[in-house]
Structures are given as structure tokens and as C-alpha cells.
Amino acid sequence: MKRRTLLRAAGVAASTLALGGAALAQETVKIGLILPMTGPFASTGRQIEAAAKLYMQQKGDTVAGKTIQLIVKDDTGVADVTKRLAQELIVNDKISVMAGFGLTPLALASGPLATQGKVPAVVMAAATSTITEASPFIVRTSFTAAQATVPLADWAAKNGLKKVVTLVSDYGPGIDVEKSFTEVFTKAGGQVENLRVPLANPDFSPFLQKVADAKPDALLAFVPSGVGAQFMKQFVERGLDKSGIRLLAEGSVTDDDLLNNIGDVALGTITSHHYSASHDSPENKAFVEAFKKANPNMRPNFMAVGGYDGMHLIYEGLKKTNGQGGQALIDAMKGLSWTSPRGPVSIDPQTRDIVQNIYVRKVERKDGELYNVEFATIPNVKDPVKAAKAN
């Protein structure tokens, strides 16, 4: 009897320890941040990681009584690596949220895993419209390329431009930029010729020569963040800066992180985007100051604000669910609204995309540095691709 009692007591003790371990495990909310930290898109990863860590530094690492743990993984910008890392984070690390995703193929690679594991995936960078349709667990705090481009097409039509050549990187967001600009501009009576450049190892020179030969009123360019400097260099080498052809661009081209390195060739470039480091608001001034203090010699760009707001969305969602993940967390994120460093934003409950202001800007010198200076605001812009499907 005594032996049986001892065994029962030992069993109870073991169960208690196991439950205690599970309880401890549930007290931590793990966020898997999957980013290109090396390779051609490393600036994207560096900006998002810095912004996510700044948010945690400012707001603390506890939400709804749970400790937040950030696990950063480098996918090198390769989709197969993203998929493997996402799987490892879900199965081995038991993450509650995935986040990051520097490019469209990387975000799409994780979609089925988010669905299978019922793990919310917060897209902080990738910009193809269809991404949120790849899984009901994907929500976006960056932007869509079409959302940023339509206001620029309107501006071009209203400012006397008749003939435009588009030059875009040949993948999801580039195709969205090309399509949305072409539809709006031709509807307004303009004429468009489209050119696409390979995403991997792009050489813009032959395409820029075609632009020079076409003699349009303007060139509309889109390249992913990190490649803008190379594009601008070849733009000058081909003499297009002196050709009288106006340069328009989706705002990724004049990325705040790289703009000073691009140099004076960027002066006068007209772009449209959702964020500029020179955005005039108290929230943005505080954000830029804190970001620079935490990361000397770095200026926050649109990737940083996507990461910062992504962390805000996760924190606020966890507050609403009292720390619960899964379906409850993704439901809690739908419809959330707040004042971001970029301006007022909200999550569209139908599409899980961000609704935000888009600004038309011009590259100017300000306080000895180059900035995208906003001169027009288009408020509360939804992704136009999904808006068209809804109508």
C-alpha cells in the first residue's frame, strides 16, 4: 500500500511539474520575425528589425501578463528558406505570430503554413495586392504597390503629362504598379509604354536606352527598396537626367534609408508613397528621433514604419484577446485603428490590408540632407485592386 501511495504521489508531482512547465510556456508569446538580413535586400531586414526592437524598448516586453519574445531569422531573401524557417518556428519554437516578409515571394511562401498552423502572419514589407488572399491569417501593415501608385497616375494626368514609359521590376508589386498606373493614366487620355526588368541581378541600361529612344514626357519607375541607388546611377549614366524626361517613381525608389547615398541626381523626383521621414507630425518627429538615437547613422524608412506599426498591431491585438493567439488574435486585429508616425491608419476588416493616407512628394534638400517632401495628401486610401473586385 505504502509503495502504491508513493508511486501515486510521484505521479501527481510529475503531472504538476508538467502542467507547471506548460503554464510557464503559455506565459511567453513568441514572435518569429523572418527577414532578409543578408543579401541584396538586407537594408529591408535591418530597418524592420530595428523598428520592432525600438517598439519593444518603448512599450516594454509584457502584454496582457505575457512576456513577448522576439526571434529573428534571416531568410536571405530566398522563398524556400522563408518556408523552412516558418515551419521550424511554428513546429519547434511554438510561435504565436509570424512577421516580417521583405518581398512578395517570401510572404506567399509562408501563407499555407499560417493557415495550417492557425498562426497570424503580419506582413511588414511585401506589397503585392494578392498577398492577403493567400491565407485568412495574413494581415498587412506595410502598403500595396497599387495603393501607392494610383494617386501618382492621377497627379501625372492632371499635370499635363501625355506620354509615359513605365519601367518596373518583373514580379508582383512591379506588375501591380504597371497595371494600376496604366489603367488610371490611359483612362485620363494618356499614352503608356510598359517595360519590365528582371528582379534578379538587374541591369537597367538597355531598358533606359529604350526609354531615351521613346522620348516620353516622363518615366515612371518601380524597383524594390535597396535597388534604387543602382537604378538612379544608370539613369544618370544614360544621360536621362539631362534629357528633359521627368522622373516619376513609386516611393520605394527614393527609399529614405538610401536617399542621401543616391545623391543629387534624385533631386526633383516626384514620387507617391505612404511614409516619409520628413512627414510633419508630432508622432513622426518622436519616432524619427527615437529611431536615430537607438540606431546611429540610420534614418527610418517605409520598411521601418511597417515594422513599428506591425508590432503595435500585435500588441493591441494581444491586449484585446488577453494574450490569446490563433483565430482570436487575427479577429482582434481586424478593424483596429491608430495614429501611426505615417498618419492615421486602420486595418480593413474585410481584406486585412492597411488603409492609410498616400502622399505625393518631391525630393528636396532640407537641412543639408535629401528628403521626400510631401506636397499633396490623398486620405484613407484602400488597396484599389481589392476595392475594384468588391464593386
Side-chain angles (χ1 to χ4, degrees), residues 24-288:
L24 283 172
Q26 287 165 6
E27 292 309 307
T28 301
V29 173
K30 296 178 182 177
I31 301 170
L33 197 58
I34 309 173
L35 295 167
M37 301 301 296
T38 54
F41 306 105
S43 68
T44 291
R46 191 176 71 244
Q47 283 272 343
I48 292 175
E49 180 190 30
K53 287 182 172 175
L54 173 63
Y55 190 88
M56 290 183 70
Q57 180 190 315
Q58 291 177 331
K59 307 295 181 182
D61 62 355
T62 306
V63 178
K66 314 266 184 178
T67 301
I68 305 295
Q69 182 186 350
L70 200 61
I71 305 171
V72 181
K73 297 286 185 180
D74 177 16
D75 63 10
T76 69
V78 177
D80 285 345
V81 180
T82 312
K83 188 175 182 180
R84 176 175 58 77
L85 291 173
Q87 194 152 11
E88 288 172 3
L89 285 163
I90 292 168
V91 175
N92 301 338
D93 294 290
K94 306 286 190 288
I95 58 167
S96 298
V97 183
M98 285 190 281
F101 311 111
L103 291 162
T104 292
L106 316 182
L108 292 175
S110 66
L113 296 169
T115 305
Q116 288 161 22
K118 293 185 168 53
V119 175
V122 181
V123 175
M124 297 171 166
T128 304
S129 289
T130 55
I131 287 171
T132 55
E133 295 170 342
S135 167
F137 283 86
I138 292 177
V139 59
R140 178 161 26 205
T141 59
S142 52
F143 69 113
T144 76
Q147 183 183 43
T149 304
V150 165
L152 189 58
D154 283 330
W155 182 89
K158 286 170 186 167
N159 281 269
L161 300 180
K162 301 294 182 193
K163 184 182 177 185
V164 175
V165 174
T166 68
L167 178 61
V168 304
S169 293
D170 191 5
Y171 77 123
I175 294 162
D176 280 356
V177 166
E178 175 190 284
K179 190 169 180 232
S180 55
F181 184 90
T182 302
E183 280 178 2
V184 173
F185 191 68
T186 53
K187 205 171 182 180
Q191 181 186 343
V192 182
E193 181 182 339
N194 303 129
L195 300 172
R196 294 181 186 177
V197 185
L199 178 63
N201 308 311
D203 177 10
F204 300 105
S205 296
F207 298 94
L208 288 167
Q209 187 56 52
K210 285 183 181 177
V211 175
D213 294 343
K215 296 184 173 59
D217 299 322
L219 165 64
L220 169 77
F222 166 78
V223 297
S225 176
V227 189
Q230 182 187 344
F231 167 78
M232 287 290 199
K233 181 171 177 279
Q234 294 185 330
F235 183 82
V236 174
E237 286 170 355
R238 287 277 154 182
L240 267 75
D241 58 322
K242 296 180 175 64
S243 67
I245 297 170
R246 294 192 73 168
L247 180 58
L248 313 178
E250 190 271 355
S252 304
V253 178
T254 57
D255 175 354
D256 275 299
D257 187 27
L258 307 171
L259 189 52
N260 281 317
N261 292 333
I262 291 171
D264 286 359
V265 60
L267 283 168
T269 303
I270 303 291
T271 64
S272 57
H273 229 212
H274 58 288
Y275 178 70
S276 167
S278 70
H279 178 65
D280 188 12
S281 74
E283 292 82 8
N284 188 51
K285 282 172 183 167
F287 172 63
V288 172

Side-chain angles (χ1 to χ4, degrees), residues 314-386:
I314 294 166
Y315 271 50
E316 292 304 307
L318 287 168
K319 284 178 190 174
K320 283 181 76 174
T321 66
N322 202 27
Q324 192 181 342
Q327 186 69 54
L329 181 55
I330 201 78
D331 288 343
M333 290 174 170
K334 295 173 186 176
L336 278 176
S337 61
W338 65 97
T339 302
S340 156
R342 67 184 102 176
V345 298
S346 64
I347 301 299
D348 186 325
Q350 275 73 48
T351 66
R352 288 162 281 109
D353 262 320
I354 195 160
V355 180
Q356 59 192 333
N357 293 349
I358 298 296
Y359 307 95
V360 186
R361 310 96 54 87
K362 184 178 183 180
V363 177
E364 295 178 7
R365 187 171 297 286
K366 187 176 158 188
D367 302 324
E369 293 187 47
L370 297 183
Y371 282 96
N372 294 294
V373 178
E374 298 161 358
F375 63 84
T377 302
I378 300 88
N380 302 318
V381 180
K382 290 187 173 188
D383 171 46
V385 174
K386 295 192 193 73

